[in-house]
Amino acid sequence: MLVLILGPRGRSPAGGGDLGHGGSIPRSEGGATTRPLLGYPAPMSSWRDDASQQAQDDLDLLVGEALEMGEKTLLETGTVLPFYLGIGEEEKVIVGSLDDRITAPEMAEKLLALLRKSRSRFRACAIVTDQSFVNQSLGGGEMDAIWVDLCHSEGPALSCYLPYRNTHDAPVLGDLGAQPATNLIWAH
């Protein structure tokens, strides 16, 4: 496993703004991942109403870092292998991934299991994957996205996604969206 420590937090998240609350990593047969999308963009304000300022700050930081790293990887390689970010002790953001000799869905599931086992080391975590999802508000068409499942130890959880389309030159990025999700790491 690769683990990087980025240092004390403090950078503003890329594309911050209000995000939603409360998802899982659903898998369809054959290893492809398809997620239903509640709307594009989904209405997002309710999780902030009940979340502490610390939880809001933690999730804003993680989504910004996760999307920045995911976008950079996508632009360099054309895909995003699953990785995680967590806010640990001393306000440091920890980034990790697994051996890439397994499939991306297997990697995402192993990362989730690893984070569940070591959740006492973190206050908040994000799992970043490259996924296909069904956009119901656009007629049910399938799209690709950098998908970020965010979970906080206090309970808030949400999924953020940055749709993209691969072209011959480079991926073309869409607009950031978010939707409610289930806390994958700290069940409340």
Side-chain angles (χ1 to χ4, degrees), residues 49-103:
D49 295 340
D50 297 323
S52 71
Q53 188 62 50
Q54 179 73 66
Q56 293 178 48
D57 292 346
D58 289 346
L59 296 180
D60 285 344
L61 174 69
L62 286 177
V63 74
E65 295 288 340
L67 289 170
E68 184 178 316
M69 292 177 72
E71 183 177 337
K72 181 179 180 196
T73 304
L74 176 67
L75 293 172
E76 289 174 359
T77 68
T79 190
V80 178
L81 290 176
F83 64 94
Y84 77 88
L85 296 95
I87 297 178
E89 296 176 21
E90 300 177 13
E91 306 288 315
K92 292 184 179 177
V93 175
I94 299 165
V95 180
S97 65
L98 297 174
D99 189 331
D100 64 359
R101 290 178 284 182
I102 59 177
T103 67

Side-chain angles (χ1 to χ4, degrees), residues 138-173:
L138 294 178
E142 194 170 298
M143 299 179 73
D144 292 321
I146 300 170
W147 195 279
V148 183
D149 284 308
L150 296 151
C151 304
H152 200 279
S153 60
E154 293 178 12
L158 60 143
S159 294
C160 297
Y161 48 91
L162 183 60
Y164 70 89
R165 179 174 35 91
N166 276 322
T167 65
H168 294 298
D169 298 323
V172 175
L173 301 173

